[in-house]
């Protein structure tokens, strides 16, 4: 079974600072993908970044980067130069990459608050 | 807007009533997913379709729940004899088979309140 653990229920950061959101995972699969989604108060899940288990380089998308440490089974999200609009819930998720396996397994999320 | 749409956005019902939600995926997406999200938790997978075929169902999907995607386009999720424990946000997502990591695009959700 797959499991995602996000140990930070809430994070408070000053605007323009960098922030790291923690994510650890557990799986027996050799091939898997890791995702981060943002959920503002409006409720819609917004895809941020993806990391494949065989990707040798850490994924980056604009101000988002993923610190992937496979041996530690961690996939932390780093947001650089935080903005007020970054305040939201952030979810880490994983999916097995085997034929027929499509569901995402999500963690409990971290509520990020950016202070001006 | 060509994103995933869901209708209604909010539904309040009395215990024991039946409710039906609709999801319209992004037009070229052949995979469609339903998730349920309760307060303070991450979304939990319910079921998924590839075209019109329902390929996976979670054990969370009790006999009172049924989902369809009759023509491989929009999907409906029906809950019969609603219970207070069904109160949650129901999220629909879609993806395109063939894209390297099969990113799922989510709709705004339907928030169900069972009184």
């Amino acid at each position: 079974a797959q499991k995602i653990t996000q140990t930070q229920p809430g994070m408070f950061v000053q605007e323009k600072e960098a922030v790291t959101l923690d994510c650890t995972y557990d799986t027996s699969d050799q091939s898997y993908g890791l995702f981060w989604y943002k959920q503002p108060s409006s409720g819609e899940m917004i895809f941020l970044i993806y990391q494949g288990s065989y990707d040798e380089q850490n994924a980056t998308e604009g101000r988002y980067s993923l610190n992937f440490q496979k041996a530690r089974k961690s996939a932390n999200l780093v947001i650089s130069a935080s903005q007020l609009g970054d305040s939201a819930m952030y979810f880490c998720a994983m999916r097995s990459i085997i034929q027929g396996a499509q569901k995402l397994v999500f963690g409990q999320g971290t509520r990020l608050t950016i202070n001006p | 807007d060509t994103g995933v749409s869901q209708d209604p956005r909010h539904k309040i019902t009395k215990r024991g009533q039946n409710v039906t939600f609709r999801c319209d995926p992004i037009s070229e997406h052949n995979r469609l997913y339903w998730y349920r999200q309760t307060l303070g938790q991450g979304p939990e997978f319910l079921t998924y379709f590839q075209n019109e075929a329902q390929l996976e169902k979670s054990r969370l999907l009790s006999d009172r729940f049924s989902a369809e995607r009759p023509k491989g386009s929009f999907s409906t999720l029906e809950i019969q004899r609603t219970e207070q424990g069904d109160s949650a946000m129901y999220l629909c997502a879609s993806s395109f088979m063939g894209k390297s990591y099969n990113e799922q695009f989510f709709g705004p959700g339907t928030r169900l309140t069972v009184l």
Side-chain angles (χ1 to χ4, degrees), chain B residues 43-83:
Chain B
E44 296 173 292
F45 171 80
L46 293 178
T47 188
Y48 110 89
F49 293 84
Q50 182 165 304
N51 299 313
E52 64 275 10
Q54 188 173 18
L55 296 187
E56 188 176 354
K57 291 171 62 174
S58 162
R59 281 172 287 182
L60 292 174
L61 217 63
S62 75
D63 292 345
R64 297 185 297 105
F65 288 71
S66 63
E68 294 182 343
R69 194 183 184 198
K71 295 183 180 179
S73 57
F74 72 92
S75 174
T76 58
L77 177 67
E78 180 183 17
I79 309 175
Q80 296 182 327
R81 305 181 303 281
T82 52
E83 301 172 356

Side-chain angles (χ1 to χ4, degrees), chain A residues 35 37 39 42-47 50 61 89 91 95 100-109, chain B residues 9 31 33 35 37 40-45 48 56 89 91 100-108:
Chain A
F35 300 77
Y37 281 85
Q39 187 176 41
S42 58
E44 188 169 346
M45 302 284 285
I46 302 167
F47 167 75
Y50 168 84
E61 288 286 349
M89 284 292 292
F91 292 96
R95 181 175 69 85
Q102 295 300 326
K103 69 178 181 182
L104 288 172
V105 175
F106 286 86
Q108 289 190 306
Chain B
R9 295 291 307 276
R31 287 178 171 160
Y33 314 79
Y35 292 84
Q37 185 178 22
Q41 303 293 319
E44 296 173 292
F45 171 80
Y48 110 89
E56 188 176 354
M89 175 79 89
L91 294 165
S100 60
Y101 49 83
N102 197 26
E103 168 196 347
Q104 295 181 22
F105 293 82
F106 283 79

Side-chain angles (χ1 to χ4, degrees), chain A residues 6-42:
Chain A
Q6 295 181 254
T7 57
Q8 305 155 311
M11 290 280 287
F12 296 84
V13 175
Q14 288 298 119
E15 191 179 7
K16 299 182 184 178
E17 289 184 352
V19 56
T20 298
L21 304 181
D22 294 341
C23 171
T24 57
Y25 60 91
D26 190 23
T27 182
S28 56
D29 295 328
Q30 296 300 311
S31 297
Y32 50 89
L34 295 155
F35 300 77
W36 277 92
Y37 281 85
K38 171 184 178 182
Q39 187 176 41
S41 55
S42 58

Side-chain angles (χ1 to χ4, degrees), chain B residues 7-8 11 18-22 34 66 75-80 82 110:
Chain B
D7 183 70
K11 179 70 177 179
N18 298 344
V19 294
T20 300
F21 309 141
R22 176 180 170 124
W34 286 99
S66 63
S75 174
T76 58
L77 177 67
E78 180 183 17
I79 309 175
Q80 296 182 327
T82 52
T110 295

